[in-house]
Amino acid sequence: QKEVEQNSGPLSVPEGAIASLNCTYSDRGSQSFFWYRQYSGKSPELIMFIYSNGDKEDGRFTAQLNKASQYVSLLIRDSQPSDSATYLCAVNRIYNQGGKLIFGQGTELSVKP
Amino acid sequence: DTEVTQTPKHLVMGMTNKKSLKCEQHMGHRAMYWYKQKAKKPPELMFVYSYEKLSINESVPSRFSPECPNSSLLNLHLHALQPEDSALYLCASSQGGSGLGSQPQHFGDGTRLSIL
């Protein structure tokens, strides 16, 4: 089992619809969860982070965390063609000397006009 | 525009060349990272510096040599690279301190490296 799992997609949604991106993780000790958006040929851009169970909203984006189910999701409301990108879920892993992010494989989202 | 600046944006080098990648951040962060990313794959951590000290080396081959001259600057020195080292090299930074690993990381635009 991979430490962070995402459906690779592509996930295709029509313009204006809600896109739902899902991520599961295996380490119950993980405390911090991040969503990055990466356009083709560009670097990852942080769009959301969440530390507590429940929902966190920022504009059209909502991150949802359920630590009991080891599940984190990203909802994009009113999807636009400009949202077409790969979305990377990342989860922290703590070491004695610091920490690192573990990335999922990414979900490719395509929003059709 | 990002607050983590990487130079050069593109680099082509031969297997016998020596070159360096540079990264600068202006966010007052105390942790900096090097990642390697191949096409259609997630970023892969190479090195972590915390307060200018190397804290994580993910068993990276010695042909990659990191350096952190001060809290704002991070270099990656390259020597005798192989064609399979061709990739996008990303620098990132985060606040640092006791919450290292739990903080959001902010990426630069990357250096696209091609080894001939």
Side-chain angles (χ1 to χ4, degrees):
Chain A
Q1 182 192 7
K2 290 183 182 169
E3 196 161 345
V4 179
E5 295 212 50
Q6 297 179 252
N7 290 329
S8 60
L11 172 66
S12 184
V13 300
E15 185 175 355
I18 296 175
S20 178
L21 303 157
N22 304 316
C23 174
T24 57
Y25 60 95
S26 61
D27 183 0
R28 284 195 171 275
S30 297
Q31 297 292 323
S32 309
F33 306 87
F34 306 89
W35 284 100
Y36 287 85
R37 177 176 64 197
Q38 187 169 25
Y39 293 113
S40 181
K42 301 295 186 183
S43 66
E45 175 192 6
L46 179 69
I47 53 172
M48 290 289 286
F49 58 91
I50 187 167
Y51 300 142
S52 304
N53 275 331
D55 294 0
K56 179 181 178 183
E57 190 174 314
D58 183 1
R60 295 186 297 112
F61 298 100
T62 299
Q64 299 176 316
L65 175 60
N66 183 327
K67 289 185 180 178
S69 300
Q70 295 175 247
Y71 176 93
V72 58
S73 65
L74 180 70
L75 301 178
I76 307 175
R77 287 182 299 282
D78 188 24
S79 296
Q80 301 297 309
S82 58
D83 295 325
S84 298
T86 295
Y87 289 80
L88 295 162
C89 171
V91 174
N92 77 307
R93 185 202 289 172
I94 301 296
Y95 289 92
N96 287 337
Q97 67 274 39
K100 62 187 277 189
L101 292 183
I102 308 297
F103 285 89
Q105 293 296 304
T107 297
E108 187 183 343
L109 173 66
S110 177
V111 181
K112 304 292 188 188
Chain B
D1 288 346
T2 62
E3 294 183 80
V4 179
T5 304
Q6 290 187 244
T7 54
K9 292 196 185 307
H10 301 275
L11 179 62
V12 180
M13 58 187 285
M15 289 191 283
T16 57
N17 292 156
K18 285 186 183 181
K19 295 285 185 186
S20 296
L21 308 185
K22 297 187 183 303
C23 176
E24 188 169 8
Q25 57 91 8
H26 301 284
M27 293 185 282
H29 288 169
R30 301 311 299 269
M32 296 186 77
Y33 310 78
W34 280 116
Y35 288 86
K36 172 183 176 180
Q37 188 176 26
K38 301 281 259 185
K40 304 283 189 189
K41 297 289 186 185
E44 198 180 312
L45 183 67
M46 299 174 73
F47 302 104
V48 180
Y49 274 84
S50 177
Y51 290 84
E52 295 103 70
K53 288 186 169 30
L54 183 65
S55 65
I56 296 177
N57 176 342
E58 291 284 272
S59 303
V60 178
S62 60
R63 57 185 185 268
F64 295 92
S65 175
E67 179 197 18
C68 189
N70 61 54
S71 60
S72 300
L73 292 173
L74 186 66
N75 299 321
L76 186 63
H77 303 298
L78 313 172
H79 174 54
L81 294 194
Q82 304 298 307
E84 61 266 27
D85 297 322
S86 298
L88 179 67
Y89 287 83
L90 295 161
C91 173
S93 70
S94 69
Q95 272 187 306
S98 60
L100 188 65
S102 301
Q103 302 147 358
Q105 293 181 21
H106 300 269
F107 286 85
D109 289 339
T111 294
R112 193 159 297 282
L113 177 65
S114 298
I115 308 300
L116 300 180

